Amino acid sequence: MLTSSCSLKSVPFQGIGLRKYSKWSVPSLASTEISGRKKSKGIKSNFFGIEVLDHLEWLNWEPGIESTKHIILKNVQFKTQKLKYRSPNTEFFTTLFPQSVVLGAGTSYSLPVTFCALEQKNYEDRIVFETKAGSFPIQLRASLPFHDLEIPEWLCIPPCAVYESSEVTFYLHNNSPLPTSFHFEVPSPFFIVPSDGMLPPWDNYKVKVQFRPEIPNIFDVIAICKFGDDESKKYLKLEAIAKYPHLLVSALNEQSQTSSREDTQSILNFGHVAVGSTVMKYLEIHNFSVVNSSFRIVHYRPPAPLMSEFVCEVSEGTVQASSRFQVPIMFTPQTVGAQSVDYFYVMRPNNSSTSVLKAIGSCKGPVVALAHLKLNFGCVFLGETVTYATEISNTSDVPTYYQFEIDCSQSVFVIDRPCGELGGESTERLRITFRPSHAINYYRRVACLIHHQDPLFLDLIGTCHSDQLTPAILKPRHIELYRTNMVRGLTFYPPDILSLMLQEGKLQLDADGTLILVPDQCCMIVENNNNEDCPKAPLLFPNVPSILEYFDDGMQNDVTMFPPHVSVNERKLDFGKCLELNQINPLPLSMTNHTKGKVTVLWTSPPGSIFTVVPQTIDIPPLKSMAFRIYFTPDKLNMLYAAELECFAYYKVIRNYRLVDDRTFCPPWSLTVSVQANTFQLGHEHFVPKYVLNSFEVVLPAVNEKGTIYKTMLLKNTGNMLLTFSVDTQHESTICIKPDVGFVLPQTHQILTVRGTPQNERLTRHTVLLHLNASEKFNQEIKLYSMVEKAQITLDGNGYLYFKPTCIGTLSEQPYLIKNVSLMPLYFQWKISAANSRVLSVEPTFGIIQANEALTQVWSFYPQGQQKYFLKPYLFIWGVKGPHCPDLGKKTRLTLRVIGEGSKGRIMAEKDHIHLGDILIGNSKSDDLVLVNNEPCSLNFELNVKQDITGLCDPDEVVKDPMAFKVKCHTGTIPARSKVCFRFTVRPVRRLRYTWTINSKILSAKVLEPDESEEGKPLCRVTADGVYPMIFISDARCLGSISGISKQQLWRLFSLDTLNEYLQRDPTEGELLYQVPTRHRAFLFPKDQQLDLEYWAETGEFNPTELHEMRIDDNRLFTVEPKSGCLLPGQRETIQLTYRHEYTGTDRIPVVLKLSHGREILLNFIGITVPKDHCYIHFLVTHHKFAPVCISTSNPPKQIYELYNGGSVRVIYDIQLDSVKDVIEQNYNHPIFQCLNPRGEIQPGMTAYIEWIFSPLEAQSYSLMFLSEERISFGNVPVFTKSSRMIFLYNVSETEVISYSWYVMSVHITEVLSVTPICGVLHPGDSTHCVVTLRTHKDPCFYDLDLICEVYSKQQVTRYQKELQDWEKEKERQEVEFTITERGLQDNQQPVFQRECCKDTQRSHRKSRRGTSIMKYKTLPPIKEPKETWEGQHSEKPIPGMWAKPTPVKPFLLHLGVTARSHSMEEYHKNFPTEVSKHYILRNLISEPLSTSQLENNRETCGKSDNNSADCLLTASKEDLKLVTDILSTVVRCLLEDIHFQRVLVEGTAEPIPYYRQFWSEEGEELAMKNIELAKAKDADASHIHESNNIQPVETKNEQISSVPVAAGAGFEQEPDSSQAADAEMDLTLTVTKHRDSVQDQDADNSQRMEGEGEESSTLADSSDDALSQELENTQQTETDDELASNIPRSLDGVQGQELNDMQPTEAEDDVNSMMSAAADANQSLEQAGNETEEDWLTEEMQASLSAIRMEEQLARRRRLKRLPEFCDLLESILENTLQNIMIEASRGEVVLTARPRVISLPPVTSRTTLDPFSIQDISLSKEELDHSIPSSELFVETRCWVSVRNDCEEPLVLLETEIVDGPVAAAGSQSFGAEDFPF
C-alpha cells in the first residue's frame, strides 16, 4: 500500500540537501548579534599546554594613533612552564622587552602589544614564544576595512518535478564594516530572489534560491555573486535534480491505470444511485516518483442550464512524492433509468502528461406496486358500508411519495390514507371503505400517482341493493369483458340490443366470453356507425402505458385513447371570489350521451355538501345532452373551498337484474368535476401559502423528434390551511401538467406530472405560472427546458482507420473510438459490404452508446492477398426508444475509411543451431531463442517443439520420457522488423544426446498455400548432451621403484581400462543419493568414512582388518595427492598415487572414489613390499589368452607374455612346460604352444618378454594367457615391409633447455624397431620430430613393444657434470695426498691417512656386512609422521665434513607403446587384398638386428656430441677458449673468401617458389610452351654437345652439376656398420652435366606433365612411356633421363613414409653394376644425340627408322632402370623425406594441409640453400660418402621435390593428434607417412 507520508528522507538526495543547507535555511539569532569585536577575538588554540589566541587583529585603526591589545597565555597543564618570547620584527608592533615568563598550573599571563601605523595599508608580523617542548608563533595583523560577504560554498536544492519549483533559503552575511552591494548571476533554471541589493555592515540578508526546471536532468551550476565597488566575486555551487513524474489515476483501492484516451480502463463506477440523492466517491491520483507533482483536474461541463450530474469541487492540488491524493467526486442523478457518463482529465503543468478517469453511474427510482389492482366490494345494502384492506409497497431502496387521485369527501369510496411517503423497501397498509348512497352499480378507476414513477391504477367495484332496486351484481370479470367489447365498439349499444343481436345471431361469443360480430354483419354495423373517424376496433384490449392512460383521458385535452360514452363540457369550474354568501350564482354544466341507449346520471355528493349538483339524478336519451347546475353554499367568510364532484352514468336497462343478460352486462362510467371558490372579503388577504416545490427549474431530458418526455414534480403543503393551485399552460402548447387545477390538504402533498413534446432542436425554455390560493400575489414561475436532439457521433481520426501491414491469413486488430456527443443514448450499427466482410470485421457491430460516452470498438483486418485495401464501412445511428418515445427517430449514416495492407510473413531464428554443450543430469541450463521477423508486418506465432533422444538407449523407452525442453510461453507476437527473445530451459534426465527441433507456426485461420507455409522447415535445433560427471584416466606414468615398467604394464597393474569402463557407466540411484562427496574429498579412505560414535557405542576392540587399515592409515603407506579437486570441462589434473615400501608383505586398503553428482566406485589399493635381497617376479595376469590364429596358417605369428622383476636383484627364470607338453600330446604331438625362450634372466625393475607361438589345429579355445592393449598401432602389415610413424616432441618449458634420448628395454625390440633421431636437444618452446620405423621380420609375428624416452634438463645435467668434475678432481687430489699422524703408533697400528670423501668403498662394505646380520625379533615402529620419501627413510645420514659424490640427474621417462601384426605375403593378399597396394615391399631387405651395445654407443655418442660440447665450454680454461675462437675465426674467414660459398649464399636468397598444382594457369602453360620452342631454337644453333665417357663433374660457366648420394646398406642406425662398409667398397657416383638453359625447359615440361589433375598413373612405366613419346618429338635427347625423377605420380592416398633399407653386399654390387650400365646407356644416348648433326646426309626414311630404333632402345633402357630395386628404394626414400619435410613444415606453420588437393607454401622460417631439380643422371653413389653422411632421416631434409600432392580420400591427408601432459617435454601426436599408396 502506498502511504501519504511526506518525509524528506523518502526522497533521494533530499537528506543530503537538507543536511547541507539546513544551517543556512534556519534563521540564526546569534548571527545578528555578531559584532566586529566578537569577530576579532579569534579562536583559542593549545600549544604545548599553553592556551592562547592564534592571532591578534587590529581593525578600525587610524594612522599615527597607538592601539594596544593583549595576548593572554594560560597554562592548562598541571605543571609549571617557563616561556620566552621574541619581539616583533617590524617597528609597527611593539611589546615589552623580552623576558622569561613563568606560568604555574592554571595561571595566565597578559602580554600587551601596541600597534601604531604611519600610512593606510595592511600590516603583518608575529611574536614567537618558546617552551621546552617547542616554539609557536602568534600572528599580528592590522587590516584596512574591505568588502566581504559570506555565502555558503554549496547548496543542494530539493528535487522537484519538471515544470514545478522547489526552493531553499540561506543567509547572506556582510563580514565587513562597509555597506556592500551585491548582485547574483545564476544560470537557468535557477533563480535567486532577490538577485541584487545593498547589505548594511555586519548585517544578514535572507536569500531564496528557486529551482524551476523544464527538462528532467541533473543540474550542477555555479552562481556568481558580485559585491563591493570592485565587484569582487564569490561562487556558489548549486545542485538539483529534476524528475519527470507521471501521475496515474484510479478509483479508490483499485489498480492504477495510465491512459490519455477516453476509453481508459480507469473507471469510477458509482453504480445505481437513487434519483435526487448524492453519492460521493474518491478519485485517487498516484505519484510513484520521488518528487512532488502538482496537477489540475479538467471537467468539461455543458452550458447552463444543462448541468452535469458529476461534480468535482477540487480543481488543482499537489501530490506528495511516493504517495497518493484523493479527490472527491459527487454524483447526483435526476432522471430515473438514465445512465450517465462523464470524464475527468488529470493534467500536469504544461500538459506534460494527462490521465483520464471515466465516471459512470445510473439513476434508479422507486418500484411501487399495489397488492390488489382490482378491489371488489361485492353487493352492499343501501345504508351499509364495507371496508377492505390492501397494501402499497416499495421494493426499491429509493424512498418516494404516492397519492391517490380521489376526493374521499365527495366519493362513495373512501381511502384512509390517500397520500403519503413510502420509504425504501417498505409497505403501507391501506383501508378502503365503500359507502354507497344509491342502489346502483359502482365502478371507478382511481389513479395512484407516484413521484419519479409512472402512475398505477386501482379498480374499485361495488354494487348496492335496496328494497326497491336490485341491480345486477357487478363483478371484475365484467370489467375485463367490457374492455374487450369497448375496443370492438360494442359498448355503445345498450345491453338489451346486444342481447337481441345475440338471439338473432348477429353477435356471437368467443372463447373468452366476449362479444364479436358475425363476419357478414361487420360491414353493416360500420356503415350505420355515425362516428366515421372511429377506426375498426382491434380484437383485444391493448396494453396501454399507464402514463398515457393517465394523460389521454379527455379531461385537459380532447385526445382520448377510446371514444367517451358520456362526457361533460367542463371538468374544471371556479366560482371565483364570492363576497356575499347568499347571492352566489350557480354554474351551468352540460352532459352528453354518446351511446345509443338511454343513460341515467347520478351525482354522489353527500348531504350537506357545500357544492351540490341539481338535478342529482337525470336520464339522458341516446345521443342527447342534459344541463345541470352546480350550487355553492359556503358557511364561512374569508375561506378557500375546493372539491372534486363525482357522478356515475349507466344504462337505464340495467337497473334491475331481471332485465340484464350477464353476457352483455356493461359497468357504469365515473366522471369527476373539480370546483374551486373562495369567500375572501375586500381588504382581507388571502392565506399565505406555505409550500415546497422540489424544483422551480426543470430540465427535461432530450428526446428525438416526435418524442415525449414525462417528469414528476412534488408540491408539499407545509401549512395548516387548505392550499389551492392552478397551472397556467395556455401559452405552452408543448408542455402539459396534470392535474392543472386542484387543492392540497394541510400537511399533505400533490404530485404534478409534466409531459413535454419538444419541437425545437435547440434548448427551449418554457415558463408556466403556478397560481396559489386564488391570488395573483402568490403566483410562482416554473421554468421548464426541453429540446429535440439529433443523433450525433464523432469518429476518431477524422473518420480514418489505418491498419499496420498484416500477414496474409492472420488477424490484425485495431481499437477505434466513437463518441456520442448528443444528450441522449443512441443505437449504433455497423454495415460492411459482403465483399469487404471477408477481410474486415468489427466487434460489437450493434449496441447502445450512452450520452457523452466514448466507446471503443475492435476492428479486425484479415487480408487475403498481398495488396493494399481501401474499405468503406458505414455506421448507422438512431435514437433509443424509451418508455415514452414511440418513435425511434431518423437514422443517420456515417462513413469510415479503412486503409490496410496485406503482406507475406516469415519467422526465422537468429541461430539455426544452438548447442548447449554438456549439462549435468538433474540440473538445468537456460538460453535465449531469438526469433527474427524481417517483414513489415507483425506475426502471431506458435512454437512446436519435438524432442529426439539419441544414443545407446532403447527407443521405445526414451520416447516415453517427458519433454525436457521448457519455454515459458509457446505463443507470442513478433512486431514488424524486430526480434523477440524467448527464454527456454532444458533439463535432461539421461546421459544421451538430446535434440529439440523447434518449428514455428503462424497463427492463422486461413490455410496457407504450400509456398507460403513454413511447416517442414525447422526453425532452430537445440542440442544438448546429458552427462554425469565423467572422468577417465588418459595417461599413467611411473616414478620411483616402478619407473622401469612400460605403460602397457602399468595400465594392467592398475586395471585402468576396467576403471575407465566403470567411470563411463551411469551412476545408480544409490550413488546419487549423496551427490556431494563426504568432507569434500574425492578419494575417501576408511578413516574418512568413519562416523564419530558415542562413547557407549565403542567396543574398544579391533579386528585384524581394522588394525591393518589403521597401520596403513597411520603410517600413510598409501597417499593420494590431491585427494579432491574440481575439474572444468576438458581440464586435466595429475593425481599422484604413492605407495611407501615401509613393511614387507602385502598391504590392502579399500578406497572409495566419489564424484560429485556421479559415480561412487570402490577401489582396492594393493601394494607389495619384498625384502631387499629377495627375488620377486610379478605376474601381470595369472591367465593369459592368446590372440586368435587361423587354423590354416602355415606360419603362425609369435606372441608375447611379460614377466616383471619387481625385486632389487636379478632373477633367473625357467618355465616349466609340462602342461604345454600335455596339450601337445593331446593334439597328436602338434606344437599347439611353443615357448621360444623358456629360460632367461630379468634385471631388477625390467621386464622379460616370453615369446610364444600359438598354432591351433581346430577352432576352439586353448586356455593359457591374456592379450594386452595397444598404444601406437601399425595395424596389419605384410612381411618385408617398413612402416614409419612421425611423432613430435615439444619443449613446453619457457626457460629450460632439455635433451632427450631413446632406448629400449630388450634386445628383441632393436631387431624390428628404430627411432630417428635417437637423441637431441630442445630449446625452450622448440619442437622436433622423431620417426619411429617398424621393419617386419620374414616370419609373421605379433608386435607389442615399448620404447622409453629419457628426458634430461640441460641445466641440471650441466650442473651435475660440473660438480662431478670438481668431485673427481678433489678425489684425485686426495688420492695422492696423505697425512701422517702419531695416532695409533703406540698400538702398532697403521697410520690413518685416508680422507673422508674417499670412504665410499669402505662404507659400502660395511653396509653390505651390516645387511647380512640377522635379527631374531623386529619390533613395530612407533606411530609417527612418516618421511616424505622412501629413499629419505632408508638413506644413511651424511657424515659431517665428508664431501659426498654428486648424485646423477634422474631422467623423466616417456613410454611409447608400439603394436602391430605382420602377415605372410600369401595371407596378406588373401585377407587384405585392398590394402596390398598401400605397402611397399623392400626386396633388398636385410634383417640385421641392432645390438644393445650399438644402441648404447649411439646414445653415448649422441650424449657426448650434444651435451659435452656445451659442458666443456663451461669448464674450459681461458687458453682453451682462445684456441677455439682462433680456429673458428679462421674457418669463417675462409668461408667468406670462398667464391663458391658466396655464390651459394646469393642463390639461397633467391630460392624459386616450388611448383604446386594450384599455381597452374593457362597463361603459364602458354608461356612454358613458348619457352620450350625458344630452347629448341637455341639448341639447334649449338655448335657442339658436351660429351663424356665416364660422366664426371665438369665446372663451366653455363653448366650445373647435381650430385645426390644414395645409401646402399645403411640399416637403421645413423652410421653404417663397419662390416658393411668393408663389404661395400665400391663407389658409385652418377654425375650428369647439363646446360643451365635446360632448366627452364625441364620446368616447362614438368608443368605440362602436371596439368592433368584427375588423372592417375597405375604404374610408373605406363606414364613414363606416354610422356617419352611426346618428349622425343619436342625436346632434346639429353633430357630423357632427367625427366625420370620428376615424373612422379601426383595422387597420394593414405601415404606412409618409409626410410631407405639396407641391402645385402652381394646384391648391392649387382645393383651398382646395373646402374653403371644404365649410366653408360645414358652416355651412349648423349653421344648419339651429339652426332645427330652428322647424319644429315641420310634420307628421310632412314632417319625415321633410326629415330624409331633409338626410341625403342631408350624405352627398353628406362624399363630396365625402373625395375632395379635400388631405383625403387631411392624413389621411396625421396618420397618419404619429401613427406617428412611437408610434415615438419606443417608443424612449424609454414604450410597448411587440407583435405583438398593443394599445399600452400609459406615463407620459410630460416633461409635454406636452394636445390635445383635433379634427375637420375645427377645421382652419384659413393660408399665412402655414405659412411660420412648425415643420418638417413635427414638425408633429404632440405630437398625440394616438385611434386603435386593430392588427397583423393574424404579424410584429411595428415591426421595430427596432440596430447599435452605435464612436464617440460611432451610427446604430441603421430603422423603416418610412407609410400604404400604410390602405385609404381
Side-chain angles (χ1 to χ4, degrees), residues 1042 1045 1048-1056 1178-1180 1204:
I1042 60 172
I1045 68 174
Q1048 199 82 353
Q1049 296 170 343
L1050 184 63
W1051 278 70
R1052 294 177 183 174
L1053 282 172
F1054 281 86
S1055 303
L1056 296 182
H1178 182 76
F1179 294 89
L1180 298 179
Y1204 173 67

Side-chain angles (χ1 to χ4, degrees), residues 1506-1641:
D1506 294 337
N1507 301 334
N1508 296 343
S1509 59
D1511 299 338
C1512 295
L1513 290 178
L1514 293 176
T1515 59
S1517 62
K1518 295 183 179 180
E1519 293 76 7
D1520 297 339
L1521 293 175
K1522 187 175 184 305
L1523 179 60
V1524 173
T1525 303
D1526 294 341
I1527 294 174
L1528 293 178
S1529 300
T1530 304
V1531 173
V1532 172
R1533 189 180 298 108
C1534 294
L1535 287 175
L1536 294 177
E1537 293 176 357
D1538 188 4
I1539 299 176
H1540 179 71
F1541 179 73
Q1542 296 176 1
R1543 180 168 56 84
V1544 171
L1545 291 179
V1546 173
E1547 293 176 356
T1549 59
E1551 179 182 0
I1553 300 176
Y1555 176 78
Y1556 293 107
R1557 182 67 185 86
Q1558 66 270 21
F1559 294 156
W1560 179 87
S1561 63
E1562 295 182 359
E1563 295 79 3
E1565 184 70 15
E1566 295 177 359
L1567 182 60
M1569 296 298 297
K1570 293 180 180 179
N1571 292 336
I1572 293 173
E1573 295 176 0
L1574 182 61
K1576 289 181 180 179
K1578 290 183 180 180
D1579 293 338
D1581 297 338
S1583 60
H1584 63 276
I1585 302 174
H1586 293 279
E1587 298 180 0
S1588 176
N1589 295 328
N1590 298 324
I1591 312 181
Q1592 297 177 354
V1594 179
E1595 292 186 3
T1596 59
K1597 183 177 180 180
N1598 297 327
E1599 295 176 353
Q1600 180 179 0
I1601 302 173
S1602 299
S1603 178
V1604 180
V1606 179
F1612 280 97
E1613 298 302 314
Q1614 308 299 324
E1615 297 181 0
D1617 192 5
S1618 60
S1619 62
Q1620 296 178 2
D1623 296 335
E1625 295 178 354
M1626 181 177 181
D1627 297 337
L1628 176 60
T1629 304
L1630 298 179
T1631 306
V1632 178
T1633 304
K1634 62 179 180 179
H1635 293 283
R1636 287 183 177 271
D1637 297 337
S1638 65
V1639 176
Q1640 298 179 355
D1641 300 338

Side-chain angles (χ1 to χ4, degrees), residues 1131-1150:
Q1131 184 182 359
R1132 297 189 180 188
E1133 179 71 23
T1134 300
I1135 299 177
Q1136 182 175 352
L1137 308 178
T1138 305
Y1139 171 61
R1140 304 179 187 275
H1141 299 275
E1142 292 286 343
Y1143 312 106
T1144 59
T1146 302
D1147 298 319
R1148 300 172 182 266
I1149 187 171

Side-chain angles (χ1 to χ4, degrees), residues 1707-1720:
E1707 295 178 359
E1709 293 177 0
D1710 296 339
D1711 295 338
V1712 170
N1713 292 333
S1714 62
M1715 189 172 292
M1716 290 296 294
S1717 65

Side-chain angles (χ1 to χ4, degrees), residues 211-459:
F211 174 55
R212 297 195 293 268
E214 294 183 357
I215 57 173
N217 200 352
I218 299 177
F219 295 90
D220 186 355
V221 301
I222 301 296
I224 302 175
C225 178
K226 297 181 179 180
F227 59 91
D229 300 335
D230 54 350
E231 291 192 352
S232 300
K233 295 181 180 180
K234 282 196 175 182
Y235 300 94
L236 173 61
K237 184 178 182 180
L238 301 176
E239 293 183 0
I241 298 177
K243 296 286 186 178
Y244 188 89
H246 188 66
L247 301 180
L248 305 181
V249 299
S250 68
L252 185 63
N253 299 326
E254 293 184 4
Q255 185 179 2
S256 59
Q257 302 285 340
T258 172
S259 176
S260 59
R261 295 171 57 93
E262 293 181 348
D263 61 333
T264 176
Q265 297 299 318
S266 295
I267 298 176
L268 184 61
N269 190 352
F270 285 85
H272 300 285
V273 180
V275 58
S277 61
T278 301
V279 175
M280 179 183 295
K281 285 196 174 184
Y282 290 92
L283 157 70
E284 282 191 343
I285 304 176
H286 301 264
N287 181 11
F288 293 99
S289 60
V290 296
V291 294
N292 301 341
S293 178
S294 62
F295 66 90
R296 60 188 180 94
I297 298 179
V298 178
H299 180 212
Y300 299 103
R301 299 181 179 180
L306 301 177
M307 297 181 63
S308 174
E309 296 175 339
F310 298 93
V311 177
C312 179
E313 298 180 352
V314 178
S315 60
E316 59 184 14
T318 301
V319 186
Q320 299 297 322
S322 301
S323 63
R324 56 190 176 184
F325 190 89
Q326 294 183 356
V327 178
I329 296 179
M330 292 173 289
F331 175 52
T332 307
Q334 300 294 335
T335 303
V336 177
Q339 185 172 357
S340 302
V341 180
D342 212 336
Y343 297 90
F344 295 88
Y345 302 86
V346 180
M347 299 182 178
R348 287 203 64 253
N350 203 35
N351 296 333
S352 58
S353 67
T354 303
S355 297
V356 181
L357 178 73
K358 181 179 181 181
I360 60 175
S362 60
C363 181
K364 65 179 180 179
V367 181
V368 178
L370 294 173
H372 302 89
L373 296 180
K374 293 181 176 64
L375 198 59
N376 184 14
F377 291 93
C379 182
V380 179
F381 285 93
L382 186 63
E384 296 180 358
T385 61
V386 177
T387 301
Y388 281 170
T390 186
E391 292 181 349
I392 182 171
S393 60
N394 181 12
T395 58
S396 172
D397 58 350
V398 180
T400 187
Y401 295 90
Y402 71 92
Q403 177 192 0
F404 286 94
E405 203 171 37
I406 186 173
D407 187 359
C408 296
S409 61
Q410 300 292 327
S411 176
V412 295
F413 299 99
V414 178
I415 303 175
D416 60 345
R417 284 182 296 200
C419 63
E421 182 178 357
L422 274 177
E425 298 180 353
S426 63
T427 301
E428 291 287 340
R429 189 176 182 86
L430 303 178
R431 297 176 64 85
I432 303 176
T433 303
F434 176 47
R435 51 177 189 178
S437 59
H438 297 83
I440 61 173
N441 296 116
Y442 295 91
Y443 168 67
R444 181 171 179 178
R445 188 174 178 84
V446 180
C448 179
L449 303 180
I450 301 172
H451 192 34
H452 300 303
Q453 183 180 327
D454 289 350
L456 301 176
F457 286 93
L458 177 62
D459 293 338

Side-chain angles (χ1 to χ4, degrees), residues 438 589 591 601-605 613 615-616 628 645-647 673:
H438 297 83
L589 180 66
M591 296 185 66
V601 177
L602 175 66
W603 293 90
T604 61
S605 299
V613 180
Q616 185 178 9
F628 296 89
L645 303 180
E646 179 186 50
C647 73
V673 175

Side-chain angles (χ1 to χ4, degrees), residues 1199-1252:
Q1199 303 192 39
I1200 304 298
Y1201 179 75
E1202 299 173 348
L1203 294 178
Y1204 173 67
N1205 183 4
S1208 59
V1209 296
R1210 69 186 182 91
V1211 175
I1212 298 175
Y1213 67 90
D1214 186 3
I1215 301 176
Q1216 301 297 326
L1217 301 176
D1218 297 338
S1219 60
V1220 176
K1221 294 178 181 179
D1222 295 340
V1223 175
I1224 292 175
E1225 293 176 357
Q1226 295 173 4
N1227 290 275
Y1228 311 101
N1229 293 326
H1230 179 76
I1232 301 296
F1233 297 105
Q1234 297 182 36
C1235 182
L1236 303 182
N1237 52 345
R1239 297 175 184 84
E1241 180 182 339
I1242 309 175
Q1243 296 296 327
M1246 297 301 174
T1247 303
Y1249 297 94
I1250 310 301
E1251 297 181 351
W1252 292 82

